[in-house]
Amino acid sequence: MNYLTFPKIGIGTMENPFRPDTTSTWWQVVEERENEFVIEILGEL
Amino acid sequence: MMIGIGVGVGFQQGVGSFVQIPETPPSNIIVSDTFNREDSTTALGNADTGQVWTVVAGTWGIIANQVYNAGNTTNAIATVDTGYSNCTVSVKFATVNTNMKVMFRVNNSNSFLHIERAPSSYDLWRNNAGAWTKLATHPSSATNGDAINVNLNGNEITAYLNGSLMYTITEAFNATVTKHGIGANSSGVRFDDFLVESL
């Protein structure tokens, strides 16, 4: 498991949604917290 | 006396001639729609299995046995109330472009989950009363005929692209909502082969 924690960025709009501040291209949220996301990096395709 | 014996033999033969009907596995199909029906610029009609398509937003139609966003409006949504919140939702993106979506657990036009085609990925989103959150992303090119499959099992949501795993998330939002369907932002995309199966 490759779990990492990233700050939550965005303002919650379609154009700028809440999301983890990561440059990874393949990930899934494992846990959502008030100001951050724990995500699993699944790879880079 | 002889007649009585004859009747008895006939009965025995009758019992012995019962044909065993092979057991067929129970179907788990809840909704199936090939959209193979007359063109319409204003209505989707009923699924092959009889359920009524409900337009949540926009105008939807049938063209050449596929579905399209006939109104060419953004955030158009159409759903079927399947009666199941836990199920597998599948649809084919017959003509794919950005902003086409498979919608699931749709409470209303501003409360749902969906997987959306982005320029270089398929992304899983939650819209909670206008608060948009991206919950997963899977990089891929878009290919006409892409098959999206979403497995909804309580709080666990797993999505596949053409049979390959994209991602699995834990998400309790709208967990008991039973409406699933499709979404689009433009008229150019086409959907086909919508299927909902029980787990």
Side-chain angles (χ1 to χ4, degrees), chain B:
Chain B
M1 186 65 175
M2 292 181 64
I3 292 174
I5 291 171
V7 169
V9 169
F11 178 74
Q12 289 292 333
Q13 287 176 334
V15 170
S17 67
F18 269 119
V19 175
Q20 288 284 332
I21 299 174
E23 287 189 20
T24 54
S27 171
N28 58 349
I29 294 175
I30 303 164
V31 182
S32 177
D33 203 346
T34 60
F35 306 106
N36 292 343
R37 45 188 176 267
E38 286 189 16
D39 286 359
S40 170
T41 59
T42 58
L44 286 181
N46 292 11
D48 297 340
T49 43
Q51 296 90 344
V52 178
W53 278 96
T54 299
V55 171
V56 178
T59 302
W60 289 84
I62 303 286
I63 185 168
N65 297 327
Q66 294 178 335
V67 175
Y68 77 121
N69 174 2
N72 196 31
T73 54
T74 58
N75 299 318
I77 301 170
T79 62
V80 172
D81 191 346
T82 68
Y84 286 75
S85 58
N86 295 320
C87 56
T88 297
V89 181
S90 306
V91 70
K92 183 185 293 181
F93 288 3
T95 302
V96 64
N97 207 333
T98 55
N99 301 124
M100 69 188 305
K101 310 147 191 171
V102 54
M103 315 287 303
F104 41 97
R105 293 180 173 170
V106 178
N107 196 29
N108 57 53
S109 64
N110 210 26
S111 173
F112 52 76
L113 298 164
H114 74 215
I115 291 173
E116 179 175 24
R117 180 64 212 174
S120 58
S121 61
Y122 281 105
D123 300 339
L124 197 164
W125 293 71
R126 178 186 65 222
N127 176 9
N128 182 0
W132 292 81
T133 304
K134 187 184 292 188
L135 297 169
T137 185
H138 175 270
S140 73
S141 57
T143 304
N144 288 342
D146 273 353
I148 308 295
N149 177 288
V150 188
N151 187 282
L152 306 170
N153 189 0
N155 295 347
E156 185 174 287
I157 298 173
T158 304
Y160 300 85
L161 170 62
N162 299 322
S164 296
L165 177 66
M166 291 198 289
Y167 29 69
T168 300
I169 65 164
T170 301
E171 176 58 62
F173 182 66
N174 282 356
T176 61
V177 175
T178 59
K179 297 174 184 174
H180 318 297
I182 52 180
N185 283 15
S186 65
S187 61
V189 298
R190 303 284 185 271
F191 298 87
D192 207 351
D193 297 333
F194 182 80
L195 182 67
V196 179
E197 299 169 279
S198 61
L199 300 180

Side-chain angles (χ1 to χ4, degrees), chain A residues 12-14 16-20 24-30 32 37 42 44-45, chain B residues 75 125-126 130-139 165-171:
Chain A
T13 62
M14 269 192 296
N16 189 5
F18 296 123
R19 62 196 186 279
S24 295
T25 58
W26 189 10
W27 52 263
Q28 61 195 17
V29 168
V30 175
E32 184 177 0
F37 288 101
L42 299 169
E44 306 294 339
L45 295 182
Chain B
N75 299 318
W125 293 71
R126 178 186 65 222
W132 292 81
T133 304
K134 187 184 292 188
L135 297 169
T137 185
H138 175 270
L165 177 66
M166 291 198 289
Y167 29 69
T168 300
I169 65 164
T170 301
E171 176 58 62

